[in-house]
Amino acid sequence: MKTSTTPEAPEVNPVIDAFIAASAIAFGLYVSAPSRAALLRATLTRSAKRDRRSRLRERWPAWRARLRRGTAAALSVAAILPFASKAADKPVLVVGDQAYNAQSLFEASGALQDAPYTVEWKQFPAGTPVIEAVNAGALDIGLQGDGPVLFLAAQGAPVKVIGIYRDSPDSVVLLAGPHTQIKTVADLKGKTVAITRGGWSQQLVQAALTSAGLPLDSVKYSYLASVDSAAALQAGKVDATATWEPYVTRLRQAGARTVVTARGLIAAQSYLSTTQKVIDTKRELLGDFVQRYQRAREWSLADSRHIERYADVWAAKSRIDPKLAHQWFSTSRIRYEPLTDSAIAEAQKSVDDFVKTGTLTKRFDVRGLFDTSFNKFTQAAR
């Protein structure tokens, strides 16, 4: 085993030895050469020890800081471990969102901070893949417009609606391109209109034509996704499109003109959707999530600063100009609604309209699609 030894003192320098001898004589002492060497070595050894102590004192603040940081880290880990274990034990709710909309809302409002479960967010570009993932069992709950849900339910899929949220009808708009002279719905006759099949876009265009007394085939339809519809209008490839925020604000900034909004024409409802299987296994979690979603929506509308905060979080995630996000959220003012008889009646009207236009082949009763038992959670939130 190795032992710690004191480093040997350096050999005696003749000059220093002479200085010690002269000093001793000056004080009336005689110091022999061996004694002088021993004295010098002892002095140098003490000096070396002092130097080491001095270096230790100089280094101590840095070592002390490292020790403190290490201790703090150890204590933090010790403090976090029980909670990490608890977090690992929490149930998980897999939520399908569109382009960070709901996730940004929850993060801005802090509505999930004390949730007794962990939310695993999944992002989608549109509503149709959200409800398809719900139906496939890949999601516990999804947020999307009414059209995709109604179409899937018409095919007999076991999907369920447990909550409703609604944009302002002024945020769903039929727009004409700046390259056209279209100002009214009547001006659309013979023009090419881009729509998203089965969604608000198709509902609004067809409702607008019917309201103006025009047959549905009085326009040419170009079936495109919302992002492609916006691009086609800007490029002048179509004459008009029906879309929603944030595309409305973008297109208006590019010169598009409003022909008509959804106000008085379509419901523009969106759904919180799940399946009966998930309801049977995670009813309380679903109810808690819907309740927190309602609170988060109410928080966003309670103060203009809250909408700005919400918009900023979304803009950062989406890498979009915050000004555009502020305009969108200020216009859409999305609010949560309980599952009322009137909301269900609006869904039935949408289905009936789809049947009239041939978009759906047969009518079905939508009442079985809605699980109104979840109203107890949102009523408790008020």
Side-chain angles (χ1 to χ4, degrees):
M1 183 176 80
K2 292 184 179 181
T3 58
S4 176
T5 58
T6 302
E8 294 183 358
E11 292 297 322
V12 178
N13 187 295
V15 177
I16 297 177
D17 180 58
F19 176 77
I20 293 173
S23 299
I25 293 172
F27 284 94
L29 300 172
Y30 173 73
V31 182
S32 65
S35 297
R36 292 197 302 273
L39 177 63
L40 178 60
R41 289 191 178 94
T43 301
L44 291 175
T45 298
R46 288 195 297 274
S47 177
K49 288 181 179 179
R50 284 195 300 271
D51 290 342
R52 285 197 296 274
R53 286 195 294 269
S54 177
R55 287 195 296 270
L56 286 172
R57 283 194 296 270
E58 292 174 355
R59 295 176 182 176
W60 172 242
W63 289 351
R64 180 175 58 191
R66 292 177 184 174
L67 181 61
R68 285 176 175 174
R69 288 195 296 269
T71 302
L75 291 174
S76 298
V77 170
I80 289 171
L81 282 176
F83 295 99
S85 176
K86 290 179 181 178
D89 295 338
K90 281 185 175 183
V92 176
L93 199 64
V94 185
V95 180
D97 189 18
Q98 292 186 59
Y100 301 102
N101 195 321
Q103 184 177 353
S104 298
L105 172 68
F106 276 109
E107 290 184 10
S109 65
L112 283 173
Q113 285 183 351
D114 59 345
Y117 50 86
T118 299
V119 171
E120 183 179 323
W121 294 99
K122 301 294 184 182
Q123 299 299 329
F124 295 82
T128 298
V130 174
I131 191 58
E132 289 176 347
V134 169
N135 187 46
L139 299 174
D140 293 320
I141 186 171
L143 296 95
Q144 66 286 296
D146 57 356
V149 181
L150 296 174
F151 272 72
L152 202 58
Q155 299 171 26
V159 292
K160 292 288 184 178
V161 175
I162 59 176
I164 290 176
Y165 59 103
R166 193 190 302 263
D167 288 50
S168 164
D170 294 328
S171 66
V172 183
V173 184
L174 174 56
L175 296 164
H179 57 285
T180 72
Q181 300 299 315
I182 298 172
K183 295 181 180 179
T184 68
V185 175
D187 296 333
L188 292 172
K189 188 174 181 179
K191 305 298 184 183
T192 301
V193 182
I195 61 172
T196 302
R197 190 187 298 273
W200 293 344
S201 180
Q202 183 174 0
Q203 293 180 50
L204 178 54
V205 171
Q206 293 182 342
L209 292 173
T210 301
S211 178
L214 295 174
L216 300 183
D217 60 359
S218 60
V219 301
K220 301 173 184 176
Y221 296 103
S222 177
Y223 294 99
L224 298 171
S226 53
V227 63
D228 296 325
S229 295
L233 189 69
Q234 285 185 285
K237 294 181 179 180
V238 297
D239 301 305
T241 188
T243 189
W244 48 84
E245 293 288 3
Y247 302 108
V248 171
T249 296
R250 284 179 171 177
L251 290 171
R252 281 174 173 163
Q253 289 176 345
R257 296 185 304 279
T258 297
V259 179
V260 69
T261 72
R263 187 173 294 278
L265 291 176
I266 65 171
Q269 294 184 138
S270 293
Y271 297 150
L272 288 97
S273 305
T274 185
T275 62
Q276 188 61 52
K277 182 179 179 179
V278 178
I279 291 174
D280 292 341
T281 56
K282 296 184 177 182
R283 175 180 287 274
E284 294 301 317
L285 270 62
L286 291 172
D288 184 82
F289 181 84
V290 172
Q291 184 182 100
R292 291 172 188 274
Y293 182 76
Q294 177 190 19
R295 287 175 174 168
R297 283 295 174 200
E298 291 175 349
W299 169 87
S300 71
L301 299 176
D303 192 312
S304 60
R305 291 171 296 183
H306 295 174
I307 282 188
E308 290 178 0
R309 169 61 182 156
Y310 171 23
D312 286 340
V313 174
W314 180 83
K317 287 183 177 297
S318 305
R319 299 179 180 179
I320 298 294
D321 183 356
K323 292 181 179 179
L324 176 64
H326 292 170
Q327 178 65 40
W328 170 20
F329 293 137
S330 296
T331 302
S332 60
R333 296 186 63 81
I334 302 171
R335 66 188 185 279
Y336 178 87
E337 294 184 358
L339 298 174
T340 62
D341 290 341
S342 61
I344 296 173
E346 288 178 325
Q348 188 65 66
K349 182 179 182 302
S350 295
V351 168
D352 294 344
D353 288 343
F354 282 138
V355 173
K356 289 176 183 177
T357 60
T359 309
L360 280 178
T361 56
K362 64 178 181 178
R363 184 183 188 275
F364 74 99
D365 190 338
V366 302
R367 285 177 295 180
L369 174 62
F370 296 87
D371 188 337
T372 58
S373 69
F374 282 85
N375 282 345
K376 69 177 183 180
F377 294 100
T378 54
Q379 288 168 354
R382 294 186 180 279

